Coordinates of all heavy atoms in Angstrom, one line a residue:
M4 N 166.2 113.6 111.9 CA 166.5 114.9 111.4 C 166.1 115.1 110.0 O 166.4 114.2 109.1 CB 168.0 115.2 111.6 CG 168.3 116.6 111.1 SD 170.1 117.0 111.3 CE 170.0 118.2 112.6
I5 N 165.3 116.1 109.7 CA 164.9 116.4 108.3 C 166.0 117.1 107.6 O 166.6 118.1 108.1 CB 163.6 117.3 108.3 CG1 162.5 116.5 109.0 CG2 163.2 117.6 106.9 CD1 161.2 117.4 109.2
N6 N 166.3 116.7 106.4 CA 167.4 117.4 105.7 C 166.8 118.6 105.1 O 165.6 118.7 104.7 CB 168.0 116.4 104.6 CG 167.3 116.3 103.3 OD1 166.7 117.3 102.9 ND2 167.5 115.2 102.6
P7 N 167.6 119.7 104.9 CA 167.1 121.0 104.5 C 166.5 120.9 103.1 O 165.5 121.7 102.8 CB 168.4 121.9 104.4 CG 169.3 121.2 105.3 CD 169.0 119.8 105.3
R8 N 167.0 120.1 102.2 CA 166.5 120.0 100.8 C 165.0 119.4 100.9 O 164.1 119.9 100.2 CB 167.4 119.1 100.0 CG 166.9 119.1 98.5 CD 167.9 118.4 97.7 NE 167.5 118.5 96.3 CZ 167.9 117.6 95.4 NH1 168.7 116.6 95.7 NH2 167.5 117.7 94.2
G9 N 164.8 118.4 101.7 CA 163.5 117.9 101.8 C 162.5 118.9 102.4 O 161.3 118.9 102.0
L10 N 162.9 119.7 103.4 CA 162.1 120.7 103.9 C 161.7 121.7 102.9 O 160.5 122.2 102.8 CB 162.8 121.4 105.1 CG 161.9 122.4 105.9 CD1 160.7 121.7 106.5 CD2 162.8 123.0 107.0
I11 N 162.6 122.1 102.0 CA 162.3 123.1 101.0 C 161.3 122.5 100.0 O 160.4 123.2 99.6 CB 163.6 123.5 100.3 CG1 164.4 124.4 101.2 CG2 163.3 124.3 99.0 CD1 165.8 124.7 100.7
V12 N 161.5 121.3 99.6 CA 160.5 120.6 98.7 C 159.2 120.5 99.3 O 158.1 120.8 98.7 CB 161.1 119.2 98.3 CG1 160.0 118.4 97.6 CG2 162.3 119.3 97.5
L13 N 159.1 120.2 100.6 CA 157.8 120.1 101.3 C 157.1 121.5 101.4 O 155.9 121.6 101.1 CB 158.0 119.6 102.7 CG 156.8 119.5 103.6 CD1 155.8 118.5 103.0 CD2 157.1 119.1 105.0
L14 N 157.8 122.5 101.7 CA 157.3 123.9 101.7 C 156.8 124.3 100.3 O 155.7 124.9 100.2 CB 158.3 124.9 102.3 CG 158.6 124.7 103.8 CD1 159.7 125.7 104.2 CD2 157.3 125.0 104.6
F15 N 157.5 124.0 99.3 CA 157.2 124.3 98.0 C 155.9 123.6 97.6 O 155.0 124.2 97.0 CB 158.3 124.0 97.0 CG 158.1 124.4 95.6 CD1 158.1 125.7 95.3 CD2 157.9 123.5 94.6 CE1 157.9 126.1 93.9 CE2 157.7 123.9 93.3 CZ 157.7 125.2 93.0
A16 N 155.8 122.3 97.9 CA 154.5 121.6 97.6 C 153.3 122.1 98.4 O 152.2 122.2 97.8 CB 154.8 120.1 98.0
V17 N 153.5 122.5 99.6 CA 152.4 123.1 100.4 C 152.0 124.4 99.7 O 150.8 124.7 99.6 CB 152.8 123.3 101.8 CG1 151.8 124.2 102.6 CG2 152.9 122.0 102.5
A18 N 152.9 125.2 99.3 CA 152.6 126.5 98.6 C 151.8 126.3 97.4 O 150.8 127.0 97.1 CB 153.9 127.3 98.4
I19 N 152.2 125.3 96.6 CA 151.5 125.0 95.3 C 150.0 124.5 95.7 O 149.1 125.0 95.0 CB 152.2 124.0 94.5 CG1 153.5 124.6 93.9 CG2 151.3 123.4 93.4 CD1 154.4 123.6 93.2
L20 N 149.9 123.7 96.6 CA 148.6 123.2 97.0 C 147.7 124.3 97.5 O 146.5 124.4 97.1 CB 148.7 122.1 98.1 CG 149.2 120.8 97.6 CD1 149.4 119.8 98.8 CD2 148.2 120.2 96.6
L21 N 148.2 125.2 98.3 CA 147.4 126.4 98.8 C 147.0 127.3 97.6 O 145.8 127.7 97.6 CB 148.2 127.2 99.8 CG 148.4 126.5 101.2 CD1 149.3 127.3 102.0 CD2 147.0 126.3 101.8
T22 N 147.8 127.5 96.7 CA 147.5 128.3 95.5 C 146.4 127.6 94.7 O 145.4 128.3 94.3 CB 148.8 128.5 94.6 OG1 149.8 129.1 95.4 CG2 148.4 129.4 93.4
V23 N 146.5 126.3 94.5 CA 145.4 125.6 93.7 C 144.1 125.7 94.4 O 143.1 125.9 93.8 CB 145.9 124.2 93.4 CG1 144.7 123.4 92.9 CG2 147.1 124.1 92.5
C24 N 144.1 125.5 95.8 CA 142.9 125.5 96.5 C 142.2 126.9 96.5 O 141.0 127.0 96.4 CB 143.1 125.1 98.0 SG 143.6 123.4 98.2
V25 N 143.0 128.0 96.6 CA 142.5 129.3 96.6 C 141.9 129.6 95.2 O 140.8 130.2 95.1 CB 143.6 130.4 97.0 CG1 143.1 131.8 96.7 CG2 143.9 130.2 98.4
R26 N 142.5 129.2 94.2 CA 142.0 129.5 92.8 C 140.7 128.6 92.6 O 139.8 129.1 91.9 CB 143.0 129.1 91.8 CG 144.1 130.1 91.7 CD 145.1 129.9 90.6 NE 146.1 130.9 90.7 CZ 146.9 131.2 89.6 NH1 146.7 130.7 88.5 NH2 147.8 132.1 89.8
A27 N 140.7 127.4 93.1 CA 139.5 126.6 92.9 C 138.3 127.3 93.7 O 137.2 127.3 93.2 CB 139.7 125.2 93.5
R28 N 138.5 127.8 94.8 CA 137.4 128.5 95.6 C 137.0 129.8 94.9 O 135.9 130.2 95.0 CB 137.9 128.7 97.0 CG 138.0 127.5 97.8 CD 138.1 127.7 99.3 NE 136.9 128.3 99.8 CZ 136.9 129.1 100.8 NH1 137.9 129.4 101.5 NH2 135.7 129.6 101.3
A29 N 137.9 130.5 94.2 CA 137.6 131.7 93.6 C 136.6 131.4 92.4 O 135.8 132.3 92.1 CB 138.9 132.4 93.0
D30 N 136.7 130.3 91.8 CA 135.8 129.9 90.8 C 134.3 129.6 91.2 O 133.4 129.7 90.5 CB 136.3 128.7 90.0 CG 137.5 129.0 89.2 OD1 137.8 130.2 88.9 OD2 138.3 128.1 88.9
E31 N 134.2 129.3 92.5 CA 132.9 129.0 93.1 C 132.3 130.3 93.6 O 132.5 130.7 94.8 CB 133.0 128.0 94.3 CG 133.7 126.7 93.8 CD 134.0 125.9 95.0 OE1 133.7 126.3 96.2 OE2 134.6 124.8 94.8
K32 N 131.5 131.0 92.8 CA 130.9 132.3 93.2 C 129.5 131.9 93.8 O 128.7 131.2 93.2 CB 130.7 133.2 92.0 CG 132.0 133.6 91.4 CD 131.8 134.6 90.3 CE 132.5 134.0 89.1 NZ 132.2 134.7 87.9
P33 N 129.2 132.5 95.0 CA 127.9 132.3 95.6 C 126.8 133.0 94.8 O 127.0 134.0 94.2 CB 128.0 132.9 97.0 CG 129.1 133.9 96.9 CD 130.1 133.4 95.8
P34 N 125.6 132.4 94.7 CA 124.5 133.0 94.0 C 124.1 134.3 94.7 O 124.2 134.4 95.9 CB 123.4 132.0 94.0 CG 123.7 131.1 95.2 CD 125.2 131.1 95.3
L35 N 123.7 135.3 93.9 CA 123.3 136.6 94.5 C 121.8 136.8 94.4 O 121.2 136.6 93.3 CB 124.0 137.7 93.8 CG 125.5 137.8 93.9 CD1 126.1 138.9 93.0 CD2 125.9 138.0 95.4
D36 N 121.2 137.1 95.5 CA 119.7 137.4 95.4 C 119.6 138.9 95.8 O 120.5 139.5 96.4 CB 118.9 136.6 96.4 CG 119.3 136.8 97.8 OD1 120.4 136.4 98.2 OD2 118.4 137.3 98.6
C37 N 118.6 139.5 95.3 CA 118.5 141.0 95.4 C 118.4 141.4 96.9 O 118.9 142.5 97.2 CB 117.3 141.5 94.6 SG 117.5 141.3 92.8
A38 N 117.8 140.7 97.7 CA 117.6 141.1 99.1 C 119.0 141.2 99.8 O 119.3 142.1 100.5 CB 116.8 140.1 99.9
T39 N 119.9 140.2 99.5 CA 121.2 140.2 100.0 C 122.0 141.4 99.5 O 122.7 142.1 100.2 CB 122.0 138.9 99.7 OG1 121.2 137.8 100.2 CG2 123.3 138.8 100.3
V40 N 121.9 141.6 98.2 CA 122.7 142.7 97.5 C 122.2 144.0 98.1 O 123.1 144.9 98.5 CB 122.5 142.7 96.0 CG1 123.1 143.9 95.4 CG2 123.1 141.4 95.4
R41 N 120.9 144.3 98.2 CA 120.4 145.5 98.7 C 120.8 145.7 100.2 O 121.2 146.9 100.6 CB 118.9 145.6 98.6 CG 118.4 145.8 97.2 CD 116.9 146.1 97.2 NE 116.4 145.9 95.9 CZ 115.6 144.9 95.5 NH1 115.2 144.0 96.3 NH2 115.2 144.9 94.2
A42 N 120.8 144.7 101.0 CA 121.1 144.8 102.4 C 122.6 145.1 102.5 O 123.0 146.0 103.4 CB 120.8 143.5 103.2
Y43 N 123.5 144.5 101.7 CA 124.9 144.7 101.8 C 125.2 146.1 101.4 O 126.0 146.8 102.0 CB 125.7 143.7 101.0 CG 127.1 143.7 101.3 CD1 127.6 142.9 102.4 CD2 128.0 144.5 100.6 CE1 128.9 142.9 102.7 CE2 129.4 144.5 101.0 CZ 129.8 143.7 102.0 OH 131.2 143.7 102.3
V44 N 124.6 146.6 100.3 CA 124.9 148.0 99.8 C 124.4 149.0 100.9 O 125.0 150.0 101.1 CB 124.2 148.2 98.5 CG1 124.2 149.6 98.1 CG2 124.9 147.4 97.4
A45 N 123.2 148.7 101.5 CA 122.7 149.6 102.5 C 123.6 149.7 103.7 O 123.8 150.8 104.3 CB 121.3 149.2 102.9
Q46 N 124.2 148.6 104.1 CA 125.0 148.5 105.2 C 126.4 149.1 105.0 O 127.0 149.8 105.8 CB 125.1 147.1 105.8 CG 125.9 147.0 107.1 CD 125.8 145.5 107.6 OE1 125.4 144.6 106.9 NE2 126.2 145.4 108.8
H47 N 127.0 148.8 103.8 CA 128.4 149.1 103.6 C 128.7 150.2 102.5 O 129.8 150.7 102.4 CB 129.2 147.8 103.2 CG 129.2 146.8 104.2 ND1 129.9 146.8 105.4 CD2 128.5 145.6 104.3 CE1 129.7 145.8 106.1 NE2 128.8 145.0 105.5
G48 N 127.7 150.4 101.7 CA 127.9 151.4 100.6 C 128.2 150.7 99.3 O 128.7 149.6 99.3
I49 N 127.9 151.4 98.2 CA 128.1 150.8 96.9 C 129.5 150.6 96.5 O 129.9 149.6 95.9 CB 127.4 151.7 95.8 CG1 127.3 151.0 94.5 CG2 128.1 153.0 95.6 CD1 126.4 149.8 94.5
V50 N 130.4 151.4 97.0 CA 131.9 151.3 96.7 C 132.4 150.0 97.3 O 133.1 149.2 96.6 CB 132.7 152.5 97.1 CG1 134.1 152.3 96.9 CG2 132.2 153.8 96.3
V51 N 132.1 149.8 98.6 CA 132.6 148.6 99.3 C 132.0 147.4 98.7 O 132.6 146.3 98.5 CB 132.3 148.7 100.8 CG1 132.7 147.4 101.5 CG2 133.1 149.9 101.4
A52 N 130.7 147.4 98.4 CA 130.0 146.3 97.8 C 130.6 145.9 96.4 O 130.8 144.7 96.1 CB 128.5 146.6 97.6
Y53 N 130.9 146.9 95.6 CA 131.5 146.7 94.3 C 132.9 146.1 94.5 O 133.2 145.1 93.8 CB 131.6 148.0 93.5 CG 131.9 147.9 92.1 CD1 130.9 147.7 91.1 CD2 133.2 148.0 91.6 CE1 131.2 147.6 89.8 CE2 133.5 147.8 90.3 CZ 132.5 147.7 89.4 OH 132.8 147.5 88.0
A54 N 133.7 146.6 95.4 CA 135.0 146.1 95.6 C 135.0 144.7 96.1 O 135.8 143.8 95.7 CB 135.8 147.0 96.6
R55 N 134.0 144.3 97.0 CA 133.9 143.0 97.5 C 133.5 142.0 96.4 O 133.9 140.9 96.3 CB 132.9 142.9 98.6 CG 133.4 143.5 99.9 CD 134.4 142.7 100.7 NE 134.0 141.3 100.9 CZ 133.5 140.9 102.0 NH1 133.2 141.7 103.0 NH2 133.2 139.6 102.2
A56 N 132.6 142.5 95.5 CA 132.2 141.6 94.4 C 133.3 141.3 93.4 O 133.5 140.2 93.0 CB 131.0 142.3 93.6
L57 N 134.1 142.3 93.2 CA 135.3 142.1 92.3 C 136.3 141.2 93.0 O 136.8 140.3 92.3 CB 136.0 143.5 92.1 CG 135.3 144.4 91.1 CD1 136.1 145.7 91.0 CD2 135.2 143.8 89.7
A58 N 136.5 141.3 94.3 CA 137.4 140.4 95.0 C 136.9 139.0 95.1 O 137.7 138.1 95.1 CB 137.6 141.0 96.5
A59 N 135.6 138.9 95.0 CA 135.0 137.5 95.0 C 135.0 136.9 93.7 O 134.6 135.7 93.5 CB 133.5 137.6 95.5
G60 N 135.5 137.6 92.6 CA 135.6 137.0 91.3 C 134.6 137.4 90.3 O 134.6 136.8 89.2
Y61 N 133.7 138.3 90.7 CA 132.6 138.7 89.7 C 133.2 139.7 88.7 O 134.0 140.5 89.1 CB 131.4 139.3 90.4 CG 130.6 138.3 91.2 CD1 130.9 138.1 92.6 CD2 129.7 137.6 90.6 CE1 130.2 137.2 93.3 CE2 128.9 136.6 91.4 CZ 129.2 136.5 92.7 OH 128.5 135.5 93.4
S62 N 132.9 139.6 87.5 CA 133.4 140.5 86.5 C 132.5 141.8 86.6 O 131.4 141.8 87.0 CB 133.3 139.9 85.1 OG 131.9 139.8 84.7
P63 N 133.1 142.9 86.0 CA 132.3 144.2 86.0 C 130.9 144.0 85.2 O 129.9 144.5 85.6 CB 133.2 145.2 85.3 CG 134.6 144.7 85.6 CD 134.4 143.2 85.6
A64 N 130.9 143.2 84.2 CA 129.7 142.9 83.5 C 128.7 142.2 84.3 O 127.5 142.5 84.3 CB 130.0 142.1 82.2
E65 N 129.1 141.2 85.1 CA 128.2 140.5 86.0 C 127.7 141.4 87.1 O 126.5 141.3 87.4 CB 128.9 139.3 86.7 CG 129.3 138.2 85.7 CD 130.2 137.1 86.4 OE1 131.1 137.5 87.1 OE2 129.9 136.0 86.1
I66 N 128.5 142.3 87.6 CA 128.1 143.2 88.6 C 127.0 144.2 88.0 O 126.0 144.5 88.7 CB 129.3 144.0 89.2 CG1 130.2 143.1 89.9 CG2 128.8 145.1 90.1 CD1 131.5 143.7 90.3
R67 N 127.2 144.7 86.8 CA 126.3 145.6 86.2 C 124.9 144.9 86.0 O 123.9 145.5 86.2 CB 126.8 146.0 84.8 CG 127.7 147.2 84.8 CD 127.9 147.8 83.5 NE 128.5 146.8 82.5 CZ 129.8 146.6 82.3 NH1 130.6 147.2 83.1 NH2 130.2 145.7 81.4
K68 N 124.9 143.6 85.6 CA 123.7 142.8 85.4 C 122.9 142.7 86.7 O 121.7 142.9 86.8 CB 124.0 141.4 84.9 CG 124.3 141.4 83.4 CD 124.6 140.0 83.0 CE 125.2 139.9 81.6 NZ 125.6 138.6 81.2
V69 N 123.6 142.4 87.8 CA 123.0 142.3 89.1 C 122.5 143.7 89.6 O 121.3 143.8 90.1 CB 124.0 141.7 90.2 CG1 123.4 141.8 91.6 CG2 124.3 140.3 89.8
R70 N 123.2 144.7 89.4 CA 122.8 146.1 89.8 C 121.5 146.5 89.0 O 120.6 147.0 89.6 CB 123.9 147.1 89.6 CG 125.0 147.0 90.6 CD 126.0 148.1 90.4 NE 125.4 149.3 90.8 CZ 125.9 150.5 90.6 NH1 127.1 150.6 90.1 NH2 125.3 151.6 91.1
K71 N 121.5 146.1 87.8 CA 120.3 146.5 86.9 C 119.1 145.6 87.4 O 118.0 146.2 87.5 CB 120.6 146.2 85.5 CG 119.5 146.7 84.5 CD 119.9 146.5 83.1 CE 118.8 146.9 82.2 NZ 119.1 146.8 80.8
R72 N 119.3 144.3 87.6 CA 118.2 143.4 88.0 C 117.7 143.8 89.3 O 116.5 143.8 89.6 CB 118.7 142.0 88.0 CG 117.7 141.0 88.4 CD 118.2 139.6 88.3 NE 119.6 139.5 89.0 CZ 119.9 138.7 89.9 NH1 119.0 137.8 90.3 NH2 121.1 138.7 90.5
C73 N 118.6 144.2 90.3 CA 118.2 144.5 91.7 C 117.9 146.0 91.9 O 117.5 146.4 93.0 CB 119.2 144.0 92.6 SG 119.5 142.3 92.6
Q74 N 118.1 146.8 90.8 CA 117.9 148.2 90.9 C 118.7 148.9 92.1 O 118.1 149.6 92.9 CB 116.4 148.5 91.0 CG 115.6 148.0 89.8 CD 114.2 148.2 90.0 OE1 113.7 148.5 91.0 NE2 113.4 148.0 88.9
V75 N 120.0 148.6 92.1 CA 120.8 149.1 93.1 C 121.7 150.2 92.5 O 122.3 150.0 91.5 CB 121.7 148.0 93.8 CG1 122.6 148.6 94.8 CG2 120.8 147.0 94.4

């Protein structure tokens, strides 16, 4: 039988590990090429593309650079 205190400690450790893994993945931004950006904007619209880029961890300055480079 697992004691309740051990179960709480285990759940807390799992929560911490999941948080660390999600933050580590957020730092890994995929490279953007203009064809992908244009196709995504054409399919979903600029607002959704902008929101997804923000959610992926890109800064507004990075998004502006890509939009200017890709003329989107």
Side-chain angles (χ1 to χ4, degrees):
M4 177 181 250
I5 299 175
N6 84 29
R8 187 172 181 205
L10 185 60
I11 291 171
V12 170
L13 178 64
L14 289 174
F15 186 68
V17 169
I19 289 173
L20 286 174
L21 287 174
T22 303
V23 169
C24 290
V25 168
R26 287 186 184 202
R28 289 192 67 205
D30 292 338
E31 301 170 5
K32 295 181 235 173
L35 295 174
D36 63 294
C37 291
T39 304
V40 171
R41 286 190 196 110
Y43 195 86
V44 169
Q46 186 175 11
H47 300 285
I49 191 70
V50 175
V51 173
Y53 193 88
R55 289 285 307 263
L57 288 175
Y61 291 94
S62 71
E65 291 172 319
I66 296 169
R67 275 193 303 274
K68 286 179 188 175
V69 170
R70 288 186 69 189
K71 185 176 180 179
R72 179 178 47 127
C73 296
Q74 300 173 348
V75 177

